[in-house]
Amino acid sequence: MVSGPSSLSLRTHTCGELNVDHVGKWVTLCGWVQYLRQDLFVILRDFSGLTQILVPQEESASKVKADLCDLTVESVIMVTGTVRKRPAGQENKMPTGEIEVLAENVEVFNVSKKLPFEIKEFVKKSESLRMQYRYLDLRSSRMQKNLRLRSQLVMKMREFLCNEHGFVDVETPTLFKRTPGGAKEFVVPSREPGLFYSLPQSPQQFKQLLMVAGVDRYFQIARCYRDEGSKPDRQPEFTQVDIEMSFVDQEGIRTLVESMLQHSWPAEKGSIQVPFQTMTYEEAMRDYGVDKPDTRFNMKLTDISDIFSSTQVEFLRSALDQPEGSIQAILVPCGAVRRKPSHEVHNGTLKSPLKKLLSASVTDVLIKKTQAQPGDLLLIAAGTLHSRPLLGSLRLQCAELLESHGRPVRDPLAFHFLWVVDFPLFLPKEDEPQELESAHHPFTAPLPEDTALLFTEPHKVRGQHYDLVLNGCEIGGGSIRIHRASEQLYVLKNILKEDPSQLTHLLEALDFGAPPHGGIALGLDRLVSIIVGAASIRDVIAFPKSFRGHDLMSRAPDTVSDKDLTPYHIYVKWPTKQGGEEK
Amino acid sequence: MVSGPSSLSLRTHTCGELNVDHVGKWVTLCGWVQYLRQDLFVILRDFSGLTQILVPQEESASKVKADLCDLTVESVIMVTGTVRKRPAGQENKMPTGEIEVLAENVEVFNVSKKLPFEIKEFVKKSESLRMQYRYLDLRSSRMQKNLRLRSQLVMKMREFLCNEHGFVDVETPTLFKRTPGGAKEFVVPSREPGLFYSLPQSPQQFKQLLMVAGVDRYFQIARCYRDEGSKPDRQPEFTQVDIEMSFVDQEGIRTLVESMLQHSWPAEKGSIQVPFQTMTYEEAMRDYGVDKPDTRFNMKLTDISDIFSSTQVEFLRSALDQPEGSIQAILVPCGAVRRKPSHEVHNGTLKSPLKKLLSASVTDVLIKKTQAQPGDLLLIAAGTLHSRPLLGSLRLQCAELLESHGRPVRDPLAFHFLWVVDFPLFLPKEDEPQELESAHHPFTAPLPEDTALLFTEPHKVRGQHYDLVLNGCEIGGGSIRIHRASEQLYVLKNILKEDPSQLTHLLEALDFGAPPHGGIALGLDRLVSIIVGAASIRDVIAFPKSFRGHDLMSRAPDTVSDKDLTPYHIYVKWPTKQGGEEK
């Protein structure tokens, strides 16, 4: 059987592949009318490119000519004819720019109505219009490329995992039950009154159970669901590359992921170097004020507390006198682009009013320590260590600001991968800071050297968790899991104060011979969007939802009749006009 | 980077791969204790097989010995030691039966509690117990094989489609809107009062829209949903191999599927021959009384109406006098295993009471026409053509009955593929026979030669639909689709009398340059279950639901608090004790 993109097709070739080697060949092409030129040419397009079709002018071909000249833009036709070299001077730089096809037969499959927009203009149009006519938007070469690159990337990941490393692709259920604290899970009513399925946020429990089941190495390109209302650039359904291995350590998982990305990386995007840089959570917070640093540029946080150790400047003094009090700076090279420090800048340059409060020696040390040069901007924040994230986000804003002023900070073609490790296993709850919650999820194992602290100072325990960061975006996270029932029960019950009865099946499973295991999940939509340089994950998803979770093309979600809800034993609680709920 | 199933692992080898070539090697194995023998051996198991671990008996190794001998069955350990040839006479036929590993170090990862059952006994246990402890059930070699075969099969299909034929793997949404007549679609409440998503039964609309979008060739291993209550051997979520192509005809799709199955067929199951047999719907009904004939055995229906054309036997006469009256027979070779015709058999052998009503010449013709031999059973049904399905199902029951009496009818190792084509495009509605409904779905194109009948005698139109049947099970179906808006609108509005406003987006799309296109969907769960010879699709799904749609392990579906339902503006309508609904 013939292979390739024209196998089993009405066409003999695609519109992008013809060149001088085909001259004289009798070919059949199928595609869309990109444009028509003066009754002389039709430019025919398919996913692979464009070919110039020459309209025959002889009287004997008047039917073909009429058919072609009557076409509207985006009509779909099949053309048969002979490949010719273009007359000298008429070549262009398109891949098919040296040839044209003299039409001898035409079949018109469909005449297109007038489009709401030209295809090539679509990307400039409002997002809602693009979404309403998504099938037209997807015809753009950019969206075609994005979808194809995504498909190829996933294929190569699969080959790597399945063919080279013995992973088993296992599908796990998406009709599951609500997990403890699963407030962001969609519910799906069943036909039994009061019983609901839940659409899981990840196959976390199932993949661990597969390890207990002896599957050894599992992966799945898994559809996941999260009901987050209208968060920007989130989707109610998204896809993760979900991986779990038995008899493995952190190092093993990280090496696997590095090799997988290297193996599947699109050739046209250059190559990536492994191993990736690794940084502890503590280092990331110290140097970048964030747990997912963009390491494409410097401008790190510098602790300048010691310079001010004996300062008498009131606000600096009071900052340092607090527990965890600290003064931090970032140096923005050539950053003094504004006359006055803007309101979001906590501090100015050494031309700032602060200067007169500082002694010359302090100023000198400050300039020396931060290696500030003339024209640089020094941003200083005094507060506790908890103010580091402010400087971290200021650092990113400065990069954007500089770039908007035409000063390149981040290489748009660079891909900086980074592992962040040694996260705290638990964090204080935001609303009840004396209680602890899992920094990631309750199944993460502690670092072996910190395990004893579980029973004494759990807030000090670091977890065997690792995040994968690309250009400042978290694109994945995973951990080595707890594989002993007693430890898992202790964490759930004694530290997190959660009701373990919802996880009976998992706790039981750990008691029947669970192997040590760990894994990771990569956010596929985000990864692909960074690779292709898209502004939004919506540009790498065929049919995304709007901010508000709507499908603007089909108008989902939609109303459902009371009759159709009856089998599910639910009814709608309509809000009253007063904003309350009617009974 | 090292590849293979032990890459990046704590082990150096799997338990199934060691042989005499490894003698003398220092190896590390990880796995589960299959059983212990007299403090001398531990049989260690992983997904790949078993290795005999020799317990060291010297005093200096007393710690290792104690660790090993204290183990319970299904505990998880890591063993390091040297591969030795087994003493003469102690070899067995296991793949690793010539060697053993003398343990020098042991690490105990997990000591298993007493299991509810022995792993190897699981398949004999009640299904509900297997499902409750699915992670133990999956440790059986049979379930391990099924999951791995499924993963491999899908991988090869992907390689075929993506790498060899230019298909693009595109993920389509599962949070969609209810389709017209989608009574079997689960609903998912959104955060907007009264608006619901729906979990689609297939990506049908999306795959057609992708063709309109110029994707050219799409495939997806797609999760689909169908709420069918408690139908036997159905699952609320299932998986289909979903394919769509532009610029293709029936022949193209069928050849693609044949080649794909041939390419991905598991080597250990032999090879399959292409092209597959093709039969029209009419032939299938005529010869087998069913549209998905099991062609592994004969016993076809024979029309014997003409033999009785001048019969005066009352019930035969009245059958033939009806419109579409007919007398049909099937011959069951060596089928006369019962003394008396059973109650479900409409007629007996020629030893039957019918004989005395028939003339000798009729009897002779009957025996000649059906080629009946002594000992054969002849089943005769008189009625209309609509009684053929009864004989069709009787044919299958006879095959089962014969097999249960030890007479092989169907080769359990044979795979008979069959295309059934030329289905009617519309069928009379069951409850309103003067109205028509789609035999498959409203997007199927008519046969070109039948298109004119759409406007005159739509019930006579045959569709460009094809079903793929394997051993009497429908494992797939597809069609060439309508690609013109006007034709699609006519079918929806004038023939099916459906409200086309629910499909505005699709009708609009067909107006903006839709290419001719077609596709198919294969039921992956069913296909795999037939390949591995499983009695149920639950044996090829990692975590299936029970008949009633329950996950017996995690106990889904589950209750959800009123508070958690509040954001979705629904509440539960509890049935009253009287069986009504309370307000």
PDB file of all heavy atoms in Angstrom, chain A residues 7 110 174 192 197 217 225 227 259 483 549-550 568, chain B residues 1 7 11 110 174 192 197 217 225 227 483 549-550 568:
ATOM      1  N   SER A   7      -1.886   9.067   0.076  1.00  0.00           N
ATOM      2  CA  SER A   7      -2.343   7.686  -0.055  1.00  0.00           C
ATOM      3  C   SER A   7      -3.859   7.662   0.049  1.00  0.00           C
ATOM      4  O   SER A   7      -4.449   8.432   0.804  1.00  0.00           O
ATOM      5  CB  SER A   7      -1.733   6.847   1.061  1.00  0.00           C
ATOM      6  OG  SER A   7      -2.091   7.375   2.332  1.00  0.00           O
ATOM      7  N   ASN A 110     -17.566  22.264  -3.766  1.00  0.00           N
ATOM      8  CA  ASN A 110     -18.336  23.147  -2.915  1.00  0.00           C
ATOM      9  C   ASN A 110     -17.988  24.589  -3.245  1.00  0.00           C
ATOM     10  O   ASN A 110     -16.818  24.939  -3.329  1.00  0.00           O
ATOM     11  CB  ASN A 110     -17.974  22.884  -1.444  1.00  0.00           C
ATOM     12  CG  ASN A 110     -19.202  22.639  -0.590  1.00  0.00           C
ATOM     13  OD1 ASN A 110     -20.261  23.205  -0.852  1.00  0.00           O
ATOM     14  ND2 ASN A 110     -19.062  21.806   0.411  1.00  0.00           N
ATOM     15  N   THR A 174     -12.561   8.796  33.589  1.00  0.00           N
ATOM     16  CA  THR A 174     -12.803  10.210  33.860  1.00  0.00           C
ATOM     17  C   THR A 174     -14.125  10.393  34.606  1.00  0.00           C
ATOM     18  O   THR A 174     -14.430  11.500  35.030  1.00  0.00           O
ATOM     19  CB  THR A 174     -12.827  11.040  32.562  1.00  0.00           C
ATOM     20  OG1 THR A 174     -13.799  10.496  31.686  1.00  0.00           O
ATOM     21  CG2 THR A 174     -11.467  11.011  31.893  1.00  0.00           C
ATOM     22  N   GLU A 192     -28.827   7.531  39.700  1.00  0.00           N
ATOM     23  CA  GLU A 192     -29.255   7.206  41.057  1.00  0.00           C
ATOM     24  C   GLU A 192     -29.362   8.507  41.847  1.00  0.00           C
ATOM     25  O   GLU A 192     -28.409   9.275  41.896  1.00  0.00           O
ATOM     26  CB  GLU A 192     -28.260   6.264  41.714  1.00  0.00           C
ATOM     27  CG  GLU A 192     -28.336   4.874  41.101  1.00  0.00           C
ATOM     28  CD  GLU A 192     -27.206   3.989  41.588  1.00  0.00           C
ATOM     29  OE1 GLU A 192     -27.345   3.429  42.685  1.00  0.00           O
ATOM     30  OE2 GLU A 192     -26.193   3.877  40.894  1.00  0.00           O
ATOM     31  N   TYR A 197     -20.948  11.405  39.755  1.00  0.00           N
ATOM     32  CA  TYR A 197     -19.554  11.218  39.383  1.00  0.00           C
ATOM     33  C   TYR A 197     -18.862  12.574  39.463  1.00  0.00           C
ATOM     34  O   TYR A 197     -19.513  13.622  39.560  1.00  0.00           O
ATOM     35  CB  TYR A 197     -19.409  10.704  37.944  1.00  0.00           C
ATOM     36  CG  TYR A 197     -20.036   9.378  37.663  1.00  0.00           C
ATOM     37  CD1 TYR A 197     -21.231   9.300  36.945  1.00  0.00           C
ATOM     38  CD2 TYR A 197     -19.431   8.195  38.080  1.00  0.00           C
ATOM     39  CE1 TYR A 197     -21.803   8.070  36.649  1.00  0.00           C
ATOM     40  CE2 TYR A 197     -20.004   6.961  37.792  1.00  0.00           C
ATOM     41  CZ  TYR A 197     -21.189   6.914  37.082  1.00  0.00           C
ATOM     42  OH  TYR A 197     -21.750   5.707  36.791  1.00  0.00           O
ATOM     43  N   ARG A 217       5.359   0.608  34.613  1.00  0.00           N
ATOM     44  CA  ARG A 217       5.592   1.896  33.966  1.00  0.00           C
ATOM     45  C   ARG A 217       4.333   2.292  33.213  1.00  0.00           C
ATOM     46  O   ARG A 217       3.950   1.621  32.256  1.00  0.00           O
ATOM     47  CB  ARG A 217       6.765   1.805  32.975  1.00  0.00           C
ATOM     48  CG  ARG A 217       8.041   1.435  33.650  1.00  0.00           C
ATOM     49  CD  ARG A 217       9.224   1.315  32.744  1.00  0.00           C
ATOM     50  NE  ARG A 217      10.396   1.274  33.600  1.00  0.00           N
ATOM     51  CZ  ARG A 217      11.619   1.632  33.242  1.00  0.00           C
ATOM     52  NH1 ARG A 217      11.844   2.034  32.016  1.00  0.00           N
ATOM     53  NH2 ARG A 217      12.604   1.583  34.110  1.00  0.00           N
ATOM     54  N   TYR A 225      -9.753  17.751  34.066  1.00  0.00           N
ATOM     55  CA  TYR A 225     -10.834  18.738  34.163  1.00  0.00           C
ATOM     56  C   TYR A 225     -10.644  19.585  35.405  1.00  0.00           C
ATOM     57  O   TYR A 225     -10.291  19.083  36.457  1.00  0.00           O
ATOM     58  CB  TYR A 225     -12.184  18.009  34.239  1.00  0.00           C
ATOM     59  CG  TYR A 225     -12.440  17.142  33.039  1.00  0.00           C
ATOM     60  CD1 TYR A 225     -11.961  15.834  32.984  1.00  0.00           C
ATOM     61  CD2 TYR A 225     -13.116  17.641  31.935  1.00  0.00           C
ATOM     62  CE1 TYR A 225     -12.165  15.046  31.867  1.00  0.00           C
ATOM     63  CE2 TYR A 225     -13.342  16.862  30.815  1.00  0.00           C
ATOM     64  CZ  TYR A 225     -12.862  15.563  30.784  1.00  0.00           C
ATOM     65  OH  TYR A 225     -13.056  14.776  29.682  1.00  0.00           O
ATOM     66  N   ASP A 227     -12.655  23.033  37.165  1.00  0.00           N
ATOM     67  CA  ASP A 227     -13.678  24.072  37.052  1.00  0.00           C
ATOM     68  C   ASP A 227     -13.196  25.291  37.815  1.00  0.00           C
ATOM     69  O   ASP A 227     -13.394  25.398  39.013  1.00  0.00           O
ATOM     70  CB  ASP A 227     -14.995  23.566  37.627  1.00  0.00           C
ATOM     71  CG  ASP A 227     -16.064  24.642  37.537  1.00  0.00           C
ATOM     72  OD1 ASP A 227     -15.867  25.601  36.769  1.00  0.00           O
ATOM     73  OD2 ASP A 227     -17.077  24.525  38.240  1.00  0.00           O
ATOM     74  N   SER A 259      15.229  13.311  28.782  1.00  0.00           N
ATOM     75  CA  SER A 259      15.478  12.561  27.545  1.00  0.00           C
ATOM     76  C   SER A 259      14.251  12.566  26.650  1.00  0.00           C
ATOM     77  O   SER A 259      14.371  12.638  25.424  1.00  0.00           O
ATOM     78  CB  SER A 259      15.854  11.114  27.863  1.00  0.00           C
ATOM     79  OG  SER A 259      16.908  11.086  28.777  1.00  0.00           O
ATOM     80  N   HIS A 483       4.780   5.220  49.770  1.00  0.00           N
ATOM     81  CA  HIS A 483       4.325   3.881  49.361  1.00  0.00           C
ATOM     82  C   HIS A 483       4.020   2.982  50.554  1.00  0.00           C
ATOM     83  O   HIS A 483       3.843   1.780  50.386  1.00  0.00           O
ATOM     84  CB  HIS A 483       5.328   3.224  48.407  1.00  0.00           C
ATOM     85  CG  HIS A 483       6.627   2.849  49.040  1.00  0.00           C
ATOM     86  ND1 HIS A 483       7.649   3.747  49.212  1.00  0.00           N
ATOM     87  CD2 HIS A 483       7.068   1.669  49.541  1.00  0.00           C
ATOM     88  CE1 HIS A 483       8.681   3.137  49.788  1.00  0.00           C
ATOM     89  NE2 HIS A 483       8.352   1.880  50.006  1.00  0.00           N
ATOM     90  N   GLY A 549     -15.680  29.827  29.712  1.00  0.00           N
ATOM     91  CA  GLY A 549     -15.954  28.402  29.573  1.00  0.00           C
ATOM     92  C   GLY A 549     -16.981  28.086  28.505  1.00  0.00           C
ATOM     93  O   GLY A 549     -17.583  27.010  28.526  1.00  0.00           O
ATOM     94  N   HIS A 550     -17.177  29.008  27.573  1.00  0.00           N
ATOM     95  CA  HIS A 550     -18.165  28.779  26.517  1.00  0.00           C
ATOM     96  C   HIS A 550     -17.499  28.312  25.225  1.00  0.00           C
ATOM     97  O   HIS A 550     -16.403  28.746  24.897  1.00  0.00           O
ATOM     98  CB  HIS A 550     -18.941  30.075  26.218  1.00  0.00           C
ATOM     99  CG  HIS A 550     -19.904  30.432  27.291  1.00  0.00           C
ATOM    100  ND1 HIS A 550     -21.136  30.975  27.044  1.00  0.00           N
ATOM    101  CD2 HIS A 550     -19.831  30.305  28.631  1.00  0.00           C
ATOM    102  CE1 HIS A 550     -21.770  31.187  28.189  1.00  0.00           C
ATOM    103  NE2 HIS A 550     -20.993  30.790  29.163  1.00  0.00           N
ATOM    104  N   TYR A 568     -31.890  12.159  35.978  1.00  0.00           N
ATOM    105  CA  TYR A 568     -30.738  12.435  36.845  1.00  0.00           C
ATOM    106  C   TYR A 568     -31.142  12.991  38.208  1.00  0.00           C
ATOM    107  O   TYR A 568     -30.290  13.338  39.020  1.00  0.00           O
ATOM    108  CB  TYR A 568     -29.778  13.386  36.125  1.00  0.00           C
ATOM    109  CG  TYR A 568     -29.264  12.761  34.853  1.00  0.00           C
ATOM    110  CD1 TYR A 568     -29.667  13.232  33.610  1.00  0.00           C
ATOM    111  CD2 TYR A 568     -28.445  11.647  34.908  1.00  0.00           C
ATOM    112  CE1 TYR A 568     -29.246  12.610  32.446  1.00  0.00           C
ATOM    113  CE2 TYR A 568     -28.011  11.026  33.750  1.00  0.00           C
ATOM    114  CZ  TYR A 568     -28.419  11.513  32.529  1.00  0.00           C
ATOM    115  OH  TYR A 568     -28.009  10.888  31.393  1.00  0.00           O
TER     116      TYR A 568
ATOM    117  N   MET B   1      21.702   7.435  26.695  1.00  0.00           N
ATOM    118  CA  MET B   1      20.850   6.913  27.769  1.00  0.00           C
ATOM    119  C   MET B   1      20.440   5.473  27.441  1.00  0.00           C
ATOM    120  O   MET B   1      20.040   5.160  26.332  1.00  0.00           O
ATOM    121  CB  MET B   1      19.598   7.789  27.858  1.00  0.00           C
ATOM    122  CG  MET B   1      18.754   7.492  29.056  1.00  0.00           C
ATOM    123  SD  MET B   1      17.263   8.521  28.913  1.00  0.00           S
ATOM    124  CE  MET B   1      16.090   7.452  29.697  1.00  0.00           C
ATOM    125  N   SER B   7      15.653   0.641  32.230  1.00  0.00           N
ATOM    126  CA  SER B   7      16.332   1.929  32.212  1.00  0.00           C
ATOM    127  C   SER B   7      15.874   2.760  33.398  1.00  0.00           C
ATOM    128  O   SER B   7      14.714   2.688  33.801  1.00  0.00           O
ATOM    129  CB  SER B   7      15.997   2.664  30.912  1.00  0.00           C
ATOM    130  OG  SER B   7      14.594   2.852  30.800  1.00  0.00           O
ATOM    131  N   ARG B  11      16.359  -1.553  39.528  1.00  0.00           N
ATOM    132  CA  ARG B  11      16.757  -2.904  39.118  1.00  0.00           C
ATOM    133  C   ARG B  11      17.746  -2.845  37.954  1.00  0.00           C
ATOM    134  O   ARG B  11      17.819  -1.841  37.231  1.00  0.00           O
ATOM    135  CB  ARG B  11      15.531  -3.718  38.703  1.00  0.00           C
ATOM    136  CG  ARG B  11      14.854  -3.206  37.454  1.00  0.00           C
ATOM    137  CD  ARG B  11      13.652  -4.051  37.011  1.00  0.00           C
ATOM    138  NE  ARG B  11      12.932  -3.352  35.959  1.00  0.00           N
ATOM    139  CZ  ARG B  11      11.721  -2.856  36.068  1.00  0.00           C
ATOM    140  NH1 ARG B  11      11.031  -2.994  37.197  1.00  0.00           N
ATOM    141  NH2 ARG B  11      11.160  -2.210  35.054  1.00  0.00           N
ATOM    142  N   ASN B 110       7.974  -3.214  51.250  1.00  0.00           N
ATOM    143  CA  ASN B 110       6.622  -3.255  51.772  1.00  0.00           C
ATOM    144  C   ASN B 110       6.263  -4.687  52.116  1.00  0.00           C
ATOM    145  O   ASN B 110       6.483  -5.586  51.308  1.00  0.00           O
ATOM    146  CB  ASN B 110       5.641  -2.750  50.705  1.00  0.00           C
ATOM    147  CG  ASN B 110       4.751  -1.654  51.233  1.00  0.00           C
ATOM    148  OD1 ASN B 110       4.384  -1.669  52.413  1.00  0.00           O
ATOM    149  ND2 ASN B 110       4.393  -0.716  50.385  1.00  0.00           N
ATOM    150  N   THR B 174     -14.538  17.273  25.300  1.00  0.00           N
ATOM    151  CA  THR B 174     -15.539  16.351  25.849  1.00  0.00           C
ATOM    152  C   THR B 174     -16.587  17.115  26.652  1.00  0.00           C
ATOM    153  O   THR B 174     -17.573  16.520  27.071  1.00  0.00           O
ATOM    154  CB  THR B 174     -14.892  15.271  26.738  1.00  0.00           C
ATOM    155  OG1 THR B 174     -14.164  15.910  27.776  1.00  0.00           O
ATOM    156  CG2 THR B 174     -13.950  14.399  25.925  1.00  0.00           C
ATOM    157  N   GLU B 192     -23.237  28.508  35.405  1.00  0.00           N
ATOM    158  CA  GLU B 192     -24.302  29.426  35.008  1.00  0.00           C
ATOM    159  C   GLU B 192     -25.627  28.707  35.151  1.00  0.00           C
ATOM    160  O   GLU B 192     -25.805  27.619  34.592  1.00  0.00           O
ATOM    161  CB  GLU B 192     -24.079  29.892  33.565  1.00  0.00           C
ATOM    162  CG  GLU B 192     -22.901  30.827  33.457  1.00  0.00           C
ATOM    163  CD  GLU B 192     -22.573  31.145  32.009  1.00  0.00           C
ATOM    164  OE1 GLU B 192     -23.217  32.012  31.430  1.00  0.00           O
ATOM    165  OE2 GLU B 192     -21.669  30.493  31.458  1.00  0.00           O
ATOM    166  N   TYR B 197     -23.163  21.454  30.189  1.00  0.00           N
ATOM    167  CA  TYR B 197     -22.401  20.773  29.147  1.00  0.00           C
ATOM    168  C   TYR B 197     -22.973  19.370  28.997  1.00  0.00           C
ATOM    169  O   TYR B 197     -23.740  18.896  29.827  1.00  0.00           O
ATOM    170  CB  TYR B 197     -20.918  20.636  29.541  1.00  0.00           C
ATOM    171  CG  TYR B 197     -20.180  21.926  29.742  1.00  0.00           C
ATOM    172  CD1 TYR B 197     -19.857  22.364  31.023  1.00  0.00           C
ATOM    173  CD2 TYR B 197     -19.767  22.685  28.654  1.00  0.00           C
ATOM    174  CE1 TYR B 197     -19.144  23.540  31.226  1.00  0.00           C
ATOM    175  CE2 TYR B 197     -19.062  23.869  28.840  1.00  0.00           C
ATOM    176  CZ  TYR B 197     -18.743  24.292  30.127  1.00  0.00           C
ATOM    177  OH  TYR B 197     -18.049  25.445  30.313  1.00  0.00           O
ATOM    178  N   ARG B 217      -6.543  15.085   7.411  1.00  0.00           N
ATOM    179  CA  ARG B 217      -6.592  13.724   7.943  1.00  0.00           C
ATOM    180  C   ARG B 217      -6.496  13.798   9.456  1.00  0.00           C
ATOM    181  O   ARG B 217      -5.479  14.214  10.007  1.00  0.00           O
ATOM    182  CB  ARG B 217      -5.426  12.884   7.415  1.00  0.00           C
ATOM    183  CG  ARG B 217      -5.468  12.767   5.933  1.00  0.00           C
ATOM    184  CD  ARG B 217      -4.348  11.948   5.347  1.00  0.00           C
ATOM    185  NE  ARG B 217      -4.725  11.687   3.970  1.00  0.00           N
ATOM    186  CZ  ARG B 217      -4.275  10.659   3.261  1.00  0.00           C
ATOM    187  NH1 ARG B 217      -3.412   9.821   3.783  1.00  0.00           N
ATOM    188  NH2 ARG B 217      -4.688  10.473   2.029  1.00  0.00           N
ATOM    189  N   TYR B 225     -18.728   8.879  25.717  1.00  0.00           N
ATOM    190  CA  TYR B 225     -19.594   8.672  26.875  1.00  0.00           C
ATOM    191  C   TYR B 225     -20.993   8.295  26.426  1.00  0.00           C
ATOM    192  O   TYR B 225     -21.517   8.867  25.467  1.00  0.00           O
ATOM    193  CB  TYR B 225     -19.648   9.954  27.706  1.00  0.00           C
ATOM    194  CG  TYR B 225     -18.281  10.375  28.205  1.00  0.00           C
ATOM    195  CD1 TYR B 225     -17.447  11.159  27.401  1.00  0.00           C
ATOM    196  CD2 TYR B 225     -17.815   9.965  29.439  1.00  0.00           C
ATOM    197  CE1 TYR B 225     -16.182  11.528  27.839  1.00  0.00           C
ATOM    198  CE2 TYR B 225     -16.559  10.329  29.883  1.00  0.00           C
ATOM    199  CZ  TYR B 225     -15.749  11.116  29.080  1.00  0.00           C
ATOM    200  OH  TYR B 225     -14.495  11.473  29.503  1.00  0.00           O
ATOM    201  N   ASP B 227     -24.722   7.134  28.393  1.00  0.00           N
ATOM    202  CA  ASP B 227     -25.417   6.779  29.621  1.00  0.00           C
ATOM    203  C   ASP B 227     -26.535   5.816  29.281  1.00  0.00           C
ATOM    204  O   ASP B 227     -27.634   6.223  28.925  1.00  0.00           O
ATOM    205  CB  ASP B 227     -25.978   8.046  30.277  1.00  0.00           C
ATOM    206  CG  ASP B 227     -26.723   7.698  31.553  1.00  0.00           C
ATOM    207  OD1 ASP B 227     -26.524   6.572  32.062  1.00  0.00           O
ATOM    208  OD2 ASP B 227     -27.494   8.542  32.030  1.00  0.00           O
ATOM    209  N   HIS B 483     -21.487  16.676   2.332  1.00  0.00           N
ATOM    210  CA  HIS B 483     -20.598  17.837   2.457  1.00  0.00           C
ATOM    211  C   HIS B 483     -21.201  19.101   1.861  1.00  0.00           C
ATOM    212  O   HIS B 483     -20.498  20.100   1.704  1.00  0.00           O
ATOM    213  CB  HIS B 483     -19.215  17.535   1.867  1.00  0.00           C
ATOM    214  CG  HIS B 483     -19.194  17.387   0.370  1.00  0.00           C
ATOM    215  ND1 HIS B 483     -19.521  16.215  -0.259  1.00  0.00           N
ATOM    216  CD2 HIS B 483     -18.887  18.270  -0.612  1.00  0.00           C
ATOM    217  CE1 HIS B 483     -19.409  16.369  -1.569  1.00  0.00           C
ATOM    218  NE2 HIS B 483     -19.035  17.611  -1.815  1.00  0.00           N
ATOM    219  N   GLY B 549     -22.821   0.796  36.593  1.00  0.00           N
ATOM    220  CA  GLY B 549     -22.063   2.026  36.415  1.00  0.00           C
ATOM    221  C   GLY B 549     -21.295   2.451  37.653  1.00  0.00           C
ATOM    222  O   GLY B 549     -20.930   3.608  37.787  1.00  0.00           O
ATOM    223  N   HIS B 550     -21.044   1.517  38.544  1.00  0.00           N
ATOM    224  CA  HIS B 550     -20.324   1.853  39.773  1.00  0.00           C
ATOM    225  C   HIS B 550     -18.857   1.462  39.683  1.00  0.00           C
ATOM    226  O   HIS B 550     -18.522   0.437  39.084  1.00  0.00           O
ATOM    227  CB  HIS B 550     -20.949   1.120  40.973  1.00  0.00           C
ATOM    228  CG  HIS B 550     -22.267   1.666  41.380  1.00  0.00           C
ATOM    229  ND1 HIS B 550     -22.667   1.764  42.682  1.00  0.00           N
ATOM    230  CD2 HIS B 550     -23.289   2.171  40.661  1.00  0.00           C
ATOM    231  CE1 HIS B 550     -23.869   2.293  42.753  1.00  0.00           C
ATOM    232  NE2 HIS B 550     -24.286   2.537  41.525  1.00  0.00           N
ATOM    233  N   TYR B 568     -23.318  25.128  41.161  1.00  0.00           N
ATOM    234  CA  TYR B 568     -23.859  24.621  39.896  1.00  0.00           C
ATOM    235  C   TYR B 568     -25.371  24.847  39.779  1.00  0.00           C
ATOM    236  O   TYR B 568     -25.991  24.396  38.822  1.00  0.00           O
ATOM    237  CB  TYR B 568     -23.508  23.145  39.736  1.00  0.00           C
ATOM    238  CG  TYR B 568     -22.011  22.965  39.718  1.00  0.00           C
ATOM    239  CD1 TYR B 568     -21.342  22.355  40.771  1.00  0.00           C
ATOM    240  CD2 TYR B 568     -21.264  23.464  38.664  1.00  0.00           C
ATOM    241  CE1 TYR B 568     -19.963  22.248  40.758  1.00  0.00           C
ATOM    242  CE2 TYR B 568     -19.894  23.357  38.640  1.00  0.00           C
ATOM    243  CZ  TYR B 568     -19.246  22.749  39.697  1.00  0.00           C
ATOM    244  OH  TYR B 568     -17.882  22.644  39.678  1.00  0.00           O
TER     245      TYR B 568
END
